[in-house]
Amino acid sequence: MWGIRLASLSPCPWAEEINEDQLPEYIKDKFVVIVGDKALAKRLEVAYATYKEVERFLDYLKKELSPVYMPYLQ
């Protein structure tokens, strides 16, 4: 429904591994947040968040979202 996709430049459980040279085409026309690599976010001209900010955001969602959406946060 949301079309959420997780991608990583290195092996990571539950994320699609992609090469850095694929990034510009991969993120085209998408809402993108780079977590933990500020230089990469700046180079790609996309949003940046720290790991702590993402943890706080996920905690907020767990408290505020209807139980119907909880499977999406697993």
Side-chain angles (χ1 to χ4, degrees):
M1 176 179 164
W2 291 89
I4 296 172
R5 295 171 63 183
L6 297 176
S8 177
L9 296 177
S10 57
C12 180
W14 307 289
E16 178 181 353
E17 186 177 349
I18 60 173
N19 295 321
E20 192 166 341
D21 60 332
Q22 296 173 294
L23 279 173
E25 187 62 30
Y26 187 86
I27 66 173
K28 185 178 179 181
D29 298 324
K30 294 178 177 72
F31 176 79
V32 177
V33 178
I34 300 290
V35 180
D37 190 335
K38 197 171 195 172
L40 177 61
K42 186 173 183 173
R43 191 170 76 241
L44 296 172
E45 299 180 345
V46 298
Y48 167 78
T50 65
Y51 290 100
K52 187 69 170 176
E53 289 169 326
V54 171
E55 288 173 0
R56 287 195 328 247
F57 179 66
L58 291 175
D59 287 342
Y60 166 79
L61 289 178
K62 287 176 186 175
K63 292 176 191 171
E64 299 297 324
L65 280 181
S66 164
V68 170
Y69 296 105
M70 292 309 287
Y72 294 105
L73 296 178
Q74 301 301 320

